[in-house]
PDB file of all heavy atoms in Angstrom:
ATOM      1  N   LYS A 126     -47.698 -26.543 128.721  1.00  0.00           N
ATOM      2  CA  LYS A 126     -48.167 -27.704 127.977  1.00  0.00           C
ATOM      3  C   LYS A 126     -48.716 -28.787 128.874  1.00  0.00           C
ATOM      4  O   LYS A 126     -49.303 -29.730 128.387  1.00  0.00           O
ATOM      5  CB  LYS A 126     -46.994 -28.360 127.242  1.00  0.00           C
ATOM      6  CG  LYS A 126     -46.335 -27.561 126.171  1.00  0.00           C
ATOM      7  CD  LYS A 126     -45.015 -28.256 125.887  1.00  0.00           C
ATOM      8  CE  LYS A 126     -44.251 -27.609 124.796  1.00  0.00           C
ATOM      9  NZ  LYS A 126     -44.857 -27.833 123.502  1.00  0.00           N
ATOM     10  N   GLN A 156     -41.666 -21.502 140.738  1.00  0.00           N
ATOM     11  CA  GLN A 156     -42.929 -20.783 140.594  1.00  0.00           C
ATOM     12  C   GLN A 156     -43.493 -20.912 139.184  1.00  0.00           C
ATOM     13  O   GLN A 156     -44.700 -21.046 139.002  1.00  0.00           O
ATOM     14  CB  GLN A 156     -42.722 -19.317 140.928  1.00  0.00           C
ATOM     15  CG  GLN A 156     -43.996 -18.495 140.863  1.00  0.00           C
ATOM     16  CD  GLN A 156     -43.734 -17.047 141.181  1.00  0.00           C
ATOM     17  OE1 GLN A 156     -42.782 -16.718 141.888  1.00  0.00           O
ATOM     18  NE2 GLN A 156     -44.557 -16.162 140.652  1.00  0.00           N
ATOM     19  N   VAL A 162     -49.060 -27.226 137.609  1.00  0.00           N
ATOM     20  CA  VAL A 162     -49.107 -27.971 138.871  1.00  0.00           C
ATOM     21  C   VAL A 162     -50.185 -27.419 139.783  1.00  0.00           C
ATOM     22  O   VAL A 162     -50.255 -26.214 140.022  1.00  0.00           O
ATOM     23  CB  VAL A 162     -47.730 -27.872 139.596  1.00  0.00           C
ATOM     24  CG1 VAL A 162     -47.816 -28.463 140.998  1.00  0.00           C
ATOM     25  CG2 VAL A 162     -46.661 -28.586 138.785  1.00  0.00           C
ATOM     26  N   ALA A 164     -51.064 -27.380 143.451  1.00  0.00           N
ATOM     27  CA  ALA A 164     -50.513 -27.720 144.763  1.00  0.00           C
ATOM     28  C   ALA A 164     -51.519 -28.494 145.627  1.00  0.00           C
ATOM     29  O   ALA A 164     -51.149 -29.495 146.261  1.00  0.00           O
ATOM     30  CB  ALA A 164     -50.030 -26.451 145.477  1.00  0.00           C
ATOM     31  N   ARG A 169     -53.080 -33.891 147.909  1.00  0.00           N
ATOM     32  CA  ARG A 169     -54.090 -34.952 148.031  1.00  0.00           C
ATOM     33  C   ARG A 169     -53.574 -36.284 147.531  1.00  0.00           C
ATOM     34  O   ARG A 169     -53.830 -37.324 148.108  1.00  0.00           O
ATOM     35  CB  ARG A 169     -55.325 -34.589 147.205  1.00  0.00           C
ATOM     36  CG  ARG A 169     -56.425 -33.876 147.958  1.00  0.00           C
ATOM     37  CD  ARG A 169     -57.749 -33.987 147.207  1.00  0.00           C
ATOM     38  NE  ARG A 169     -57.690 -33.460 145.863  1.00  0.00           N
ATOM     39  CZ  ARG A 169     -57.748 -32.168 145.556  1.00  0.00           C
ATOM     40  NH1 ARG A 169     -57.861 -31.271 146.506  1.00  0.00           N
ATOM     41  NH2 ARG A 169     -57.686 -31.768 144.299  1.00  0.00           N
ATOM     42  N   TYR A 177     -43.912 -23.174 146.460  1.00  0.00           N
ATOM     43  CA  TYR A 177     -43.439 -22.586 145.217  1.00  0.00           C
ATOM     44  C   TYR A 177     -42.199 -21.743 145.476  1.00  0.00           C
ATOM     45  O   TYR A 177     -42.222 -20.789 146.254  1.00  0.00           O
ATOM     46  CB  TYR A 177     -44.548 -21.740 144.566  1.00  0.00           C
ATOM     47  CG  TYR A 177     -45.588 -22.611 143.884  1.00  0.00           C
ATOM     48  CD1 TYR A 177     -46.874 -22.739 144.402  1.00  0.00           C
ATOM     49  CD2 TYR A 177     -45.259 -23.333 142.736  1.00  0.00           C
ATOM     50  CE1 TYR A 177     -47.814 -23.562 143.779  1.00  0.00           C
ATOM     51  CE2 TYR A 177     -46.191 -24.157 142.117  1.00  0.00           C
ATOM     52  CZ  TYR A 177     -47.469 -24.271 142.639  1.00  0.00           C
ATOM     53  OH  TYR A 177     -48.385 -25.075 142.023  1.00  0.00           O
ATOM     54  N   ARG A 200     -40.722 -13.191 142.919  1.00  0.00           N
ATOM     55  CA  ARG A 200     -41.902 -13.777 142.268  1.00  0.00           C
ATOM     56  C   ARG A 200     -42.291 -13.029 140.992  1.00  0.00           C
ATOM     57  O   ARG A 200     -43.289 -13.352 140.360  1.00  0.00           O
ATOM     58  CB  ARG A 200     -43.077 -13.804 143.247  1.00  0.00           C
ATOM     59  CG  ARG A 200     -42.803 -14.683 144.471  1.00  0.00           C
ATOM     60  CD  ARG A 200     -44.052 -15.339 144.980  1.00  0.00           C
ATOM     61  NE  ARG A 200     -43.794 -16.277 146.064  1.00  0.00           N
ATOM     62  CZ  ARG A 200     -43.335 -17.525 145.895  1.00  0.00           C
ATOM     63  NH1 ARG A 200     -43.025 -17.955 144.704  1.00  0.00           N
ATOM     64  NH2 ARG A 200     -43.152 -18.311 146.939  1.00  0.00           N
ATOM     65  N   VAL A 202     -41.647 -11.817 137.080  1.00  0.00           N
ATOM     66  CA  VAL A 202     -40.912 -12.141 135.861  1.00  0.00           C
ATOM     67  C   VAL A 202     -40.666 -10.841 135.119  1.00  0.00           C
ATOM     68  O   VAL A 202     -41.573 -10.032 134.967  1.00  0.00           O
ATOM     69  CB  VAL A 202     -41.732 -13.109 134.964  1.00  0.00           C
ATOM     70  CG1 VAL A 202     -41.246 -13.065 133.530  1.00  0.00           C
ATOM     71  CG2 VAL A 202     -41.624 -14.522 135.486  1.00  0.00           C
ATOM     72  N   ARG A 279     -48.934  -1.156 121.417  1.00  0.00           N
ATOM     73  CA  ARG A 279     -48.887  -2.267 122.371  1.00  0.00           C
ATOM     74  C   ARG A 279     -48.873  -3.581 121.632  1.00  0.00           C
ATOM     75  O   ARG A 279     -48.214  -4.526 122.048  1.00  0.00           O
ATOM     76  CB  ARG A 279     -50.097  -2.200 123.300  1.00  0.00           C
ATOM     77  CG  ARG A 279     -49.968  -1.088 124.302  1.00  0.00           C
ATOM     78  CD  ARG A 279     -50.735  -1.383 125.529  1.00  0.00           C
ATOM     79  NE  ARG A 279     -50.520  -0.366 126.535  1.00  0.00           N
ATOM     80  CZ  ARG A 279     -51.138  -0.338 127.705  1.00  0.00           C
ATOM     81  NH1 ARG A 279     -52.021  -1.271 127.989  1.00  0.00           N
ATOM     82  NH2 ARG A 279     -50.890   0.612 128.573  1.00  0.00           N
ATOM     83  N   THR A 329     -44.045 -12.651 120.129  1.00  0.00           N
ATOM     84  CA  THR A 329     -44.952 -12.778 121.272  1.00  0.00           C
ATOM     85  C   THR A 329     -44.705 -14.085 122.015  1.00  0.00           C
ATOM     86  O   THR A 329     -44.799 -14.141 123.234  1.00  0.00           O
ATOM     87  CB  THR A 329     -46.433 -12.739 120.833  1.00  0.00           C
ATOM     88  OG1 THR A 329     -46.629 -13.648 119.755  1.00  0.00           O
ATOM     89  CG2 THR A 329     -46.837 -11.341 120.419  1.00  0.00           C
ATOM     90  N   THR A 333     -42.687 -12.460 127.779  1.00  0.00           N
ATOM     91  CA  THR A 333     -43.192 -12.927 129.070  1.00  0.00           C
ATOM     92  C   THR A 333     -44.437 -12.185 129.531  1.00  0.00           C
ATOM     93  O   THR A 333     -44.865 -12.340 130.670  1.00  0.00           O
ATOM     94  CB  THR A 333     -42.126 -12.739 130.159  1.00  0.00           C
ATOM     95  OG1 THR A 333     -41.858 -11.330 130.281  1.00  0.00           O
ATOM     96  CG2 THR A 333     -40.849 -13.468 129.827  1.00  0.00           C
ATOM     97  N   THR A 335     -47.354 -11.397 127.250  1.00  0.00           N
ATOM     98  CA  THR A 335     -48.492 -11.394 126.327  1.00  0.00           C
ATOM     99  C   THR A 335     -49.510 -12.445 126.729  1.00  0.00           C
ATOM    100  O   THR A 335     -49.160 -13.568 127.073  1.00  0.00           O
ATOM    101  CB  THR A 335     -48.045 -11.678 124.887  1.00  0.00           C
ATOM    102  OG1 THR A 335     -47.271 -12.887 124.869  1.00  0.00           O
ATOM    103  CG2 THR A 335     -47.204 -10.559 124.340  1.00  0.00           C
ATOM    104  N   GLN A 337     -52.821 -14.869 125.684  1.00  0.00           N
ATOM    105  CA  GLN A 337     -53.289 -15.497 124.452  1.00  0.00           C
ATOM    106  C   GLN A 337     -54.453 -14.710 123.846  1.00  0.00           C
ATOM    107  O   GLN A 337     -54.524 -14.528 122.636  1.00  0.00           O
ATOM    108  CB  GLN A 337     -53.732 -16.941 124.711  1.00  0.00           C
ATOM    109  CG  GLN A 337     -54.088 -17.643 123.404  1.00  0.00           C
ATOM    110  CD  GLN A 337     -54.407 -19.109 123.599  1.00  0.00           C
ATOM    111  OE1 GLN A 337     -55.494 -19.472 123.990  1.00  0.00           O
ATOM    112  NE2 GLN A 337     -53.441 -19.963 123.317  1.00  0.00           N
ATOM    113  N   SER A 338     -55.333 -14.234 124.706  1.00  0.00           N
ATOM    114  CA  SER A 338     -56.473 -13.461 124.206  1.00  0.00           C
ATOM    115  C   SER A 338     -56.002 -12.202 123.484  1.00  0.00           C
ATOM    116  O   SER A 338     -56.549 -11.810 122.456  1.00  0.00           O
ATOM    117  CB  SER A 338     -57.409 -13.078 125.352  1.00  0.00           C
ATOM    118  OG  SER A 338     -57.899 -14.228 125.983  1.00  0.00           O
ATOM    119  N   GLU A 343     -54.842  -9.271 118.343  1.00  0.00           N
ATOM    120  CA  GLU A 343     -54.015  -8.518 117.404  1.00  0.00           C
ATOM    121  C   GLU A 343     -53.810  -9.286 116.105  1.00  0.00           C
ATOM    122  O   GLU A 343     -53.768  -8.688 115.021  1.00  0.00           O
ATOM    123  CB  GLU A 343     -52.675  -8.083 118.012  1.00  0.00           C
ATOM    124  CG  GLU A 343     -51.657  -9.156 118.348  1.00  0.00           C
ATOM    125  CD  GLU A 343     -50.231  -8.580 118.450  1.00  0.00           C
ATOM    126  OE1 GLU A 343     -49.684  -8.159 117.417  1.00  0.00           O
ATOM    127  OE2 GLU A 343     -49.678  -8.561 119.574  1.00  0.00           O
TER     128      GLU A 343
ATOM    129  N   TYR B   3     -49.533  -4.816 127.812  1.00  0.00           N
ATOM    130  CA  TYR B   3     -50.015  -5.414 126.571  1.00  0.00           C
ATOM    131  C   TYR B   3     -51.484  -5.044 126.371  1.00  0.00           C
ATOM    132  O   TYR B   3     -51.949  -4.033 126.862  1.00  0.00           O
ATOM    133  CB  TYR B   3     -49.767  -6.924 126.606  1.00  0.00           C
ATOM    134  CG  TYR B   3     -49.933  -7.629 125.284  1.00  0.00           C
ATOM    135  CD1 TYR B   3     -49.319  -7.143 124.134  1.00  0.00           C
ATOM    136  CD2 TYR B   3     -50.715  -8.779 125.184  1.00  0.00           C
ATOM    137  CE1 TYR B   3     -49.484  -7.777 122.914  1.00  0.00           C
ATOM    138  CE2 TYR B   3     -50.874  -9.420 123.971  1.00  0.00           C
ATOM    139  CZ  TYR B   3     -50.269  -8.920 122.837  1.00  0.00           C
ATOM    140  OH  TYR B   3     -50.428  -9.553 121.630  1.00  0.00           O
ATOM    141  N   GLU B   5     -54.685  -5.042 127.440  1.00  0.00           N
ATOM    142  CA  GLU B   5     -55.298  -5.388 128.724  1.00  0.00           C
ATOM    143  C   GLU B   5     -56.782  -5.712 128.645  1.00  0.00           C
ATOM    144  O   GLU B   5     -57.283  -6.512 129.440  1.00  0.00           O
ATOM    145  CB  GLU B   5     -55.057  -4.244 129.713  1.00  0.00           C
ATOM    146  CG  GLU B   5     -53.580  -3.871 129.775  1.00  0.00           C
ATOM    147  CD  GLU B   5     -53.222  -2.960 130.934  1.00  0.00           C
ATOM    148  OE1 GLU B   5     -54.053  -2.792 131.852  1.00  0.00           O
ATOM    149  OE2 GLU B   5     -52.109  -2.418 130.928  1.00  0.00           O
ATOM    150  N   ALA B   7     -58.320  -7.404 126.593  1.00  0.00           N
ATOM    151  CA  ALA B   7     -58.612  -8.732 126.046  1.00  0.00           C
ATOM    152  C   ALA B   7     -58.582  -9.828 127.116  1.00  0.00           C
ATOM    153  O   ALA B   7     -59.065 -10.932 126.893  1.00  0.00           O
ATOM    154  CB  ALA B   7     -57.609  -9.059 124.945  1.00  0.00           C
ATOM    155  N   ARG B  25     -48.836 -16.152 145.317  1.00  0.00           N
ATOM    156  CA  ARG B  25     -47.505 -16.767 145.226  1.00  0.00           C
ATOM    157  C   ARG B  25     -47.173 -17.242 143.827  1.00  0.00           C
ATOM    158  O   ARG B  25     -46.009 -17.241 143.437  1.00  0.00           O
ATOM    159  CB  ARG B  25     -47.384 -17.934 146.217  1.00  0.00           C
ATOM    160  CG  ARG B  25     -47.272 -17.477 147.669  1.00  0.00           C
ATOM    161  CD  ARG B  25     -46.655 -18.540 148.540  1.00  0.00           C
ATOM    162  NE  ARG B  25     -47.523 -19.676 148.801  1.00  0.00           N
ATOM    163  CZ  ARG B  25     -48.542 -19.676 149.642  1.00  0.00           C
ATOM    164  NH1 ARG B  25     -48.852 -18.583 150.307  1.00  0.00           N
ATOM    165  NH2 ARG B  25     -49.276 -20.765 149.817  1.00  0.00           N
ATOM    166  N   CYS B  27     -48.405 -16.092 140.816  1.00  0.00           N
ATOM    167  CA  CYS B  27     -48.537 -15.164 139.695  1.00  0.00           C
ATOM    168  C   CYS B  27     -47.233 -14.447 139.385  1.00  0.00           C
ATOM    169  O   CYS B  27     -46.641 -13.822 140.262  1.00  0.00           O
ATOM    170  CB  CYS B  27     -49.617 -14.129 139.979  1.00  0.00           C
ATOM    171  SG  CYS B  27     -49.844 -12.984 138.592  1.00  0.00           S
ATOM    172  N   PRO B  28     -46.759 -14.514 138.129  1.00  0.00           N
ATOM    173  CA  PRO B  28     -45.506 -13.844 137.790  1.00  0.00           C
ATOM    174  C   PRO B  28     -45.655 -12.340 137.551  1.00  0.00           C
ATOM    175  O   PRO B  28     -44.663 -11.663 137.297  1.00  0.00           O
ATOM    176  CB  PRO B  28     -45.070 -14.545 136.498  1.00  0.00           C
ATOM    177  CG  PRO B  28     -46.327 -15.057 135.890  1.00  0.00           C
ATOM    178  CD  PRO B  28     -47.294 -15.296 137.004  1.00  0.00           C
ATOM    179  N   HIS B  29     -46.879 -11.825 137.623  1.00  0.00           N
ATOM    180  CA  HIS B  29     -47.075 -10.401 137.351  1.00  0.00           C
ATOM    181  C   HIS B  29     -47.904  -9.691 138.409  1.00  0.00           C
ATOM    182  O   HIS B  29     -48.469  -8.643 138.146  1.00  0.00           O
ATOM    183  CB  HIS B  29     -47.703 -10.215 135.954  1.00  0.00           C
ATOM    184  CG  HIS B  29     -46.760 -10.580 134.842  1.00  0.00           C
ATOM    185  ND1 HIS B  29     -45.653  -9.822 134.544  1.00  0.00           N
ATOM    186  CD2 HIS B  29     -46.745 -11.621 133.980  1.00  0.00           C
ATOM    187  CE1 HIS B  29     -45.008 -10.388 133.531  1.00  0.00           C
ATOM    188  NE2 HIS B  29     -45.638 -11.484 133.174  1.00  0.00           N
ATOM    189  N   GLU B  49     -52.687 -14.833 131.361  1.00  0.00           N
ATOM    190  CA  GLU B  49     -53.523 -16.024 131.166  1.00  0.00           C
ATOM    191  C   GLU B  49     -52.726 -17.318 131.187  1.00  0.00           C
ATOM    192  O   GLU B  49     -53.029 -18.250 130.455  1.00  0.00           O
ATOM    193  CB  GLU B  49     -54.330 -15.908 129.856  1.00  0.00           C
ATOM    194  CG  GLU B  49     -55.252 -14.693 129.833  1.00  0.00           C
ATOM    195  CD  GLU B  49     -56.005 -14.582 128.519  1.00  0.00           C
ATOM    196  OE1 GLU B  49     -55.444 -14.940 127.473  1.00  0.00           O
ATOM    197  OE2 GLU B  49     -57.154 -14.125 128.554  1.00  0.00           O
ATOM    198  N   ASN B  56     -54.333 -23.517 140.831  1.00  0.00           N
ATOM    199  CA  ASN B  56     -54.015 -23.740 142.224  1.00  0.00           C
ATOM    200  C   ASN B  56     -55.106 -23.269 143.184  1.00  0.00           C
ATOM    201  O   ASN B  56     -54.932 -23.352 144.390  1.00  0.00           O
ATOM    202  CB  ASN B  56     -52.682 -23.061 142.576  1.00  0.00           C
ATOM    203  CG  ASN B  56     -51.499 -23.863 142.069  1.00  0.00           C
ATOM    204  OD1 ASN B  56     -50.988 -24.754 142.765  1.00  0.00           O
ATOM    205  ND2 ASN B  56     -51.086 -23.594 140.854  1.00  0.00           N
ATOM    206  N   GLU B  58     -58.181 -23.886 145.016  1.00  0.00           N
ATOM    207  CA  GLU B  58     -59.011 -25.025 145.379  1.00  0.00           C
ATOM    208  C   GLU B  58     -60.513 -24.718 145.381  1.00  0.00           C
ATOM    209  O   GLU B  58     -61.298 -25.513 144.887  1.00  0.00           O
ATOM    210  CB  GLU B  58     -58.574 -25.571 146.748  1.00  0.00           C
ATOM    211  CG  GLU B  58     -58.813 -27.058 146.852  1.00  0.00           C
ATOM    212  CD  GLU B  58     -58.113 -27.673 148.052  1.00  0.00           C
ATOM    213  OE1 GLU B  58     -57.559 -26.925 148.883  1.00  0.00           O
ATOM    214  OE2 GLU B  58     -58.147 -28.902 148.133  1.00  0.00           O
ATOM    215  N   ARG B  65     -59.334 -18.156 130.635  1.00  0.00           N
ATOM    216  CA  ARG B  65     -59.135 -18.995 129.457  1.00  0.00           C
ATOM    217  C   ARG B  65     -57.634 -19.075 129.236  1.00  0.00           C
ATOM    218  O   ARG B  65     -57.041 -18.250 128.550  1.00  0.00           O
ATOM    219  CB  ARG B  65     -59.840 -18.383 128.248  1.00  0.00           C
ATOM    220  CG  ARG B  65     -59.997 -19.396 127.118  1.00  0.00           C
ATOM    221  CD  ARG B  65     -60.603 -18.794 125.895  1.00  0.00           C
ATOM    222  NE  ARG B  65     -59.762 -17.713 125.398  1.00  0.00           N
ATOM    223  CZ  ARG B  65     -60.037 -17.018 124.302  1.00  0.00           C
ATOM    224  NH1 ARG B  65     -61.112 -17.271 123.604  1.00  0.00           N
ATOM    225  NH2 ARG B  65     -59.256 -16.035 123.922  1.00  0.00           N
ATOM    226  N   GLY B  69     -49.490 -17.294 124.995  1.00  0.00           N
ATOM    227  CA  GLY B  69     -49.570 -16.092 124.147  1.00  0.00           C
ATOM    228  C   GLY B  69     -48.519 -16.102 123.068  1.00  0.00           C
ATOM    229  O   GLY B  69     -47.611 -15.267 123.061  1.00  0.00           O
ATOM    230  N   ALA B  71     -47.945 -16.134 118.964  1.00  0.00           N
ATOM    231  CA  ALA B  71     -48.563 -15.971 117.647  1.00  0.00           C
ATOM    232  C   ALA B  71     -48.278 -17.169 116.747  1.00  0.00           C
ATOM    233  O   ALA B  71     -49.160 -17.651 116.037  1.00  0.00           O
ATOM    234  CB  ALA B  71     -48.070 -14.684 116.989  1.00  0.00           C
ATOM    235  N   PRO B  84     -57.550 -22.976 119.978  1.00  0.00           N
ATOM    236  CA  PRO B  84     -56.452 -22.110 120.391  1.00  0.00           C
ATOM    237  C   PRO B  84     -55.887 -22.472 121.747  1.00  0.00           C
ATOM    238  O   PRO B  84     -54.684 -22.389 121.961  1.00  0.00           O
ATOM    239  CB  PRO B  84     -57.077 -20.714 120.442  1.00  0.00           C
ATOM    240  CG  PRO B  84     -58.252 -20.784 119.560  1.00  0.00           C
ATOM    241  CD  PRO B  84     -58.745 -22.210 119.573  1.00  0.00           C
ATOM    242  N   CYS B  91     -42.899 -27.051 120.429  1.00  0.00           N
ATOM    243  CA  CYS B  91     -41.623 -27.380 121.026  1.00  0.00           C
ATOM    244  C   CYS B  91     -41.800 -28.557 121.954  1.00  0.00           C
ATOM    245  O   CYS B  91     -41.992 -28.390 123.148  1.00  0.00           O
ATOM    246  CB  CYS B  91     -41.082 -26.190 121.826  1.00  0.00           C
ATOM    247  SG  CYS B  91     -40.720 -24.769 120.790  1.00  0.00           S
TER     248      CYS B  91
END
Side-chain angles (χ1 to χ4, degrees):
Chain A
K126 295 165 178 288
Q156 182 181 334
V162 172
R169 266 199 302 281
Y177 283 110
R200 297 213 175 281
V202 160
R279 287 207 175 176
T329 49
T333 63
T335 53
Q337 186 175 81
S338 300
E343 68 159 292
Chain B
Y3 193 49
E5 308 192 13
R25 287 201 288 284
C27 182
H29 291 290
E49 300 178 326
N56 283 271
E58 210 167 8
R65 196 184 60 178
C91 296

